[in-house]
Amino acid sequence: MRLSYPTNIKVVKVPCTGRVDVLTILKAFEAGVDGVYVAGCLEGECHFLKGNLRARKRVNYVKQLLQEVGIEPERVEMYNLSSAQGQRFAQIAEEMTEKIRTLGPSPIKKRTDAFKA
Amino acid sequence: MIVGNRKPLEEILQLVKPYKKILLLGCRECITVCAAGGEREVGVLASELKLSRAKDGGEIEVKEHTLERQCDYEYVDQIKPFVDDYEVVVSMACGAGIQYVAEKYPHKIVLPAINTTFLGVTLEQGLWAERCQGCGECILHLTGGVCPVARCAKSLFNGPCGGSADGKCEVNKDTDCAWQLIINRLKELGQLENYEQIIPAKDWSTARDGGPRTRVREDLRLT
C-alpha cells in the first residue's frame, strides 16, 4: 500500500492494548507529549478476549485524570482497528494529529531530556 | 479490610500548595487491595501532582515510597533515614496509618490523601461494600450472619422498620434492607426462632461511644 502517516507519531509497541496501564499514558504526558492514542484491535476480536475493552476503560479513566489536572481530555483517545486496515491506521494518524494541532502544544512546558533525545 | 477513597486532586493540590519536596507514602495492606493508596495509586497521584505543577510552571519533587503497612511501627520506622529530606509527608494509608506516621515523626507535617470510609468486603473487582462497624460485641450468630449494626441505616436490633419496602431501605433504593436479608437468611437456615427473640438494647460502651479503644494481650507484651 505504501501509505504514509505524519512523522510526529511515535509508535510504542505492546503485545495487546490490555497491557496499557494508566501510568503508561500519564508518563508520556509527563515526558511532554502533546497527545496519546491507543490503537487496539476491533471490539469483540481481542485474542485475549477483553484486552481492548479494558484499554478503553483505562483511556476513559486517564481522560478523567487529565481533566482533574487541567489538561484537555481530548489529548488521549482510544481507537479500534484491525491489523489489515492500513488505510484506517494512516487515516487515524492524520485525524489525531489534526486534532492535537488544533488544541496546540501540551500545557506541560517542561520537557525532559529523555524526550528531547 | 479497611476501605478508603482517594481525596479529589483539587483538595490534595490545595494541601501541598506550599511545598516543593514531598514524600508520597503508600501502604501495601487494605488500601492497596481496595485500589486507593497502594503502589500503583501512589504512582498515579505522583504523576498527577507533577503534571499539575509543571502545567502551572512550578517545581515539585515527589518521592514515591510504599510501606508494607503504615499501622505497625516496624514498617513506619523504615522511612526514618530519608523522611527529613522532604518538607512534608503525604500519606495514602487509612486514617490509622496516617496518624501513626504523624505520631512516629512528631516534627513532620503529615497530610492525608485518603478519606477512610468503612470496614468492608470486595463484592467484585472494583466494587466494595460495608459490612462491619467494629461495635465491639458481635451478634452475627443471632442474625443469620448479617449485621444489623453496619447494614441497617438505623442499626435496629429488632427490625425491620416501616421504611422497608420490597426488600429495600428507604434511605436508598439500591440499599438492601438488612432486616429483610436477616429474615431471608434465618428462613434458609431454619433458624426463624432467632427472629422471635427480642434482642435487648445494646450496651454501646464497647463501641465508639465508650471512647477510643485499646486491646491488650499481656502474654505477648515484651515489657
Side-chain angles (χ1 to χ4, degrees):
Chain A
M1 276 192 275
R2 298 197 182 278
L3 296 167
S4 63
Y5 63 91
T7 51
N8 51 280
I9 287 175
K10 303 281 172 278
V11 179
V12 178
K13 292 181 198 167
V14 285
C16 166
T17 48
R19 169 68 184 85
V20 179
D21 183 43
V22 170
L23 259 182
T24 322
I25 304 175
L26 287 180
K27 289 283 173 200
F29 280 101
E30 268 184 56
V33 301
D34 298 317
V36 174
Y37 69 92
V38 179
C41 297
L42 292 168
E43 289 194 359
E45 293 192 5
C46 176
H47 290 238
F48 306 102
L49 305 176
K50 289 180 179 172
N52 50 1
L53 302 177
R54 288 185 176 140
R56 179 171 291 278
K57 279 188 177 179
R58 289 174 197 152
V59 165
N60 287 337
Y61 185 58
V62 173
K63 278 177 180 281
Q64 286 176 32
L65 296 178
L66 290 183
Q67 182 109 45
E68 272 192 320
V69 172
I71 298 172
E72 301 89 341
E74 300 82 29
R75 289 186 186 274
V76 55
E77 286 303 341
M78 173 82 199
Y79 288 98
N80 296 94
L81 69 164
S82 93
S83 53
Q85 290 177 297
Q87 209 131 26
R88 178 77 183 125
F89 182 85
Q91 188 190 355
I92 289 169
E94 291 280 359
E95 197 179 299
M96 194 68 188
T97 303
E98 242 353 275
K99 193 163 129 184
I100 300 296
R101 195 160 283 150
T102 321
L103 287 171
S106 155
I108 311 302
K109 291 178 193 76
K110 192 185 146 212
R111 304 191 172 213
T112 67
D113 292 335
F115 182 70
K116 276 178 199 160
Chain B
M1 87 186 103
I2 297 173
V3 178
N5 226 347
R6 205 198 79 188
K7 283 180 179 288
L9 182 69
E10 209 182 325
E11 193 181 336
I12 301 173
L13 284 175
Q14 205 56 40
L15 294 176
V16 301
K17 208 173 181 177
Y19 308 108
K20 282 185 179 160
K21 283 187 90 176
I22 292 172
L23 172 59
L24 188 53
L25 204 58
C27 178
R28 282 210 180 92
E29 282 289 331
C30 324
I31 215 79
T32 289
V33 184
C34 71
E39 210 166 339
R40 293 168 78 90
E41 290 73 29
V42 164
V44 170
L45 179 57
S47 185
E48 280 189 287
L49 290 173
K50 284 186 257 181
L51 286 172
S52 305
R53 221 22 105 78
K55 190 179 141 272
D56 302 331
E59 277 180 25
I60 195 165
E61 185 188 329
V62 184
K63 158 93 170 162
E64 299 173 31
H65 193 82
T66 305
L67 294 176
E68 207 54 44
R69 279 198 284 282
Q70 288 189 28
C71 53
D72 265 320
Y73 56 86
E74 294 100 322
Y75 303 111
V76 176
D77 283 351
Q78 288 171 353
I79 60 169
K80 210 176 223 164
F82 56 88
V83 70
D84 283 329
D85 298 341
Y86 300 90
E87 293 171 278
V88 71
V89 180
V90 176
S91 168
M92 295 192 81
C94 69
I98 301 168
Q99 285 185 63
Y100 210 30
V101 174
E103 202 174 315
K104 289 287 171 194
Y105 301 97
H107 61 290
K108 213 82 222 162
I109 294 170
V110 181
L111 304 170
I114 298 286
N115 290 325
T116 310
T117 40
F118 54 77
L119 291 181
V121 296
T122 310
L123 290 181
E124 58 182 75
Q125 188 170 310
L127 180 63
W128 296 272
E130 183 163 18
R131 287 291 183 270
C132 179
Q133 276 193 5
C135 73
E137 202 182 349
C138 195
I139 54 146
L140 285 169
H141 56 292
L142 293 175
T143 55
V146 177
C147 177
V149 178
R151 300 179 68 182
C152 166
K154 292 175 176 170
S155 295
L156 285 184
F157 273 58
N158 299 282
C161 71
S164 173
D166 300 323
K168 297 293 176 187
C169 174
E170 64 181 340
V171 166
N172 183 335
K173 63 177 172 40
D174 297 324
T175 305
D176 289 323
C177 166
W179 275 96
Q180 184 70 56
L181 297 177
I182 292 171
I183 293 165
N184 293 350
R185 190 86 205 286
L186 289 176
K187 236 186 240 173
E188 219 170 282
L189 296 171
Q191 290 185 337
L192 263 181
E193 69 276 8
N194 281 1
Y195 183 58
E196 299 297 322
Q197 272 187 53
I198 301 293
I199 305 178
K202 184 177 168 64
D203 173 6
W204 288 97
S205 67
T206 57
R208 274 285 309 134
D209 306 49
R213 295 161 283 180
T214 49
R215 174 175 178 252
V216 191
R217 251 190 74 174
E218 287 299 347
D219 60 318
L220 289 178
R221 302 190 79 180
L222 300 174
T223 51

